């Protein structure tokens, strides 16, 4: 089948790399945010931690599925499962984008507010965390698009 | 053709309603934000104003195109133009979501910060502006999805 060669769809090594990247970046975002102190005093930071807590298990699970598929050379081709993966990726990428934007804007406000709200050490941590969240969003939407591209050829 | 009955795609009255809603909500968001004072002192608010300045002409133009198509009963069916509309809607909806989230998180921070950062009158304005931006995002992504649904049936 010609559909087997779509790179980045579920069950290929490109998809495995994307999932691995998502897992790494979202874990890094969570760690940079939660190892600092006082993240729970800002709503946006709590939201980022919550969303990353959703993204990490999702990415790790799909990375395991992809790795298994690559090893046994038997990719998933059920349209129903693929639809769930596409929808899950899409919802999670929107939530990740929202979390990343909120975090970035709050960090920007804390940096430029008049007053010593934000010690430099913590603020650079928050910035790195927001950047990692943006990278997670980028990889997650890429996964969603690649699988969406594959979906119609399976359905009809 | 069966493709003529997809509701919400370019050239239908449903699409005209969506575009009109986008234009109204984005204008309301811009007005609530910019008629208050000091919006230019926060990066997130400036970003929202910039994005709304992009969304308003786009929505108004497409609303005019849709209204004209409905009146002359001759909807656009060129795949190239439809692709541009889908991509434009998609990019603008991502930017709108980012602006809405940034604004909402900054407003939340200003409301709960210790200190009189935010007079109640201005803060409720900012909140309404953020809510309008979220509604704009919702309608814009709906337009993008409806047109994306129509696209494959034209292409092949």
């Amino acid at each position: 089948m010609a559909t087997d060669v779509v790179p980045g769809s579920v069950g290929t090594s490109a998809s495995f790399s994307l999932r691995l990247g998502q897992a790494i970046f979202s874990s890094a975002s969570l760690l940079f945010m939660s190892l600092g102190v006082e993240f729970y005093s800002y709503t946006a930071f709590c939201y980022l931690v919550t969303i990353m807590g959703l993204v990490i298990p999702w990415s790790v699970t799909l990375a395991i599925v992809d790795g298994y598929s690559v090893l046994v050379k038997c990719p998933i081709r059920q349209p129903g499962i693929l639809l769930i993966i596409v929808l899950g990726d899409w919802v999670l990428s929107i939530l990740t984008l929202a979390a990343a934007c909120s975090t970035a804007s709050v960090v920007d406000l804390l940096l430029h507010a008049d007053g010593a709200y934000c010690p430099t050490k913590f603020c650079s941590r928050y910035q790195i965390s927001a950047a990692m969240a943006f990278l997670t969003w980028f990889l997650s939407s890429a996964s969603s698009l690649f699988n969406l591209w594959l979906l119609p050829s399976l359905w009809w």
Side-chain angles (χ1 to χ4, degrees), chain A:
Chain A
M1 275 172 79
T3 58
D4 284 0
V5 295
V6 176
S9 57
V10 172
T12 61
S13 50
S15 171
F16 180 67
S17 317
L18 281 176
R19 300 292 174 191
L20 214 62
Q22 286 165 33
I24 291 171
F25 286 131
S26 52
S27 308
S29 177
L30 182 65
L31 287 179
F32 273 108
M33 180 57 73
S34 58
L35 289 186
V37 293
E38 285 195 5
F39 80 88
Y40 42 81
S41 58
Y42 300 106
T43 315
F45 295 171
C46 291
Y47 179 61
L48 182 76
V49 169
T50 312
I51 297 301
M52 287 305 147
L54 288 173
V55 170
I56 292 171
W58 172 266
S59 305
V60 170
T61 308
L62 287 175
I64 291 170
V65 169
D66 280 338
Y68 183 75
S69 298
V70 169
L71 282 181
V72 304
K73 293 190 173 51
C74 177
I76 294 174
R77 286 293 175 264
Q78 284 85 355
I81 296 176
L82 207 62
L83 185 66
I84 292 173
I85 293 176
V86 169
L87 285 181
D89 267 331
W90 193 61
V91 170
L92 280 180
S93 73
I94 287 178
L95 292 175
T96 310
L97 177 64
C101 291
S102 307
T103 307
S105 62
V106 167
V107 170
D108 181 77
L109 187 63
L110 289 178
L111 268 177
H112 295 103
D114 45 349
Y117 263 115
C118 185
T120 316
K121 202 183 90 188
F122 292 144
C123 248
S124 53
R125 271 189 181 184
Y126 296 150
Q127 279 173 324
I128 294 171
S129 178
M132 294 290 156
F134 273 113
L135 286 173
T136 308
W137 163 68
F138 186 74
L139 293 180
S140 185
S141 54
S143 283
S144 182
L145 285 178
F146 282 131
N147 286 319
L148 186 68
W149 191 254
L150 177 65
L151 198 57
S153 60
L154 290 181
W155 212 285
W156 291 296

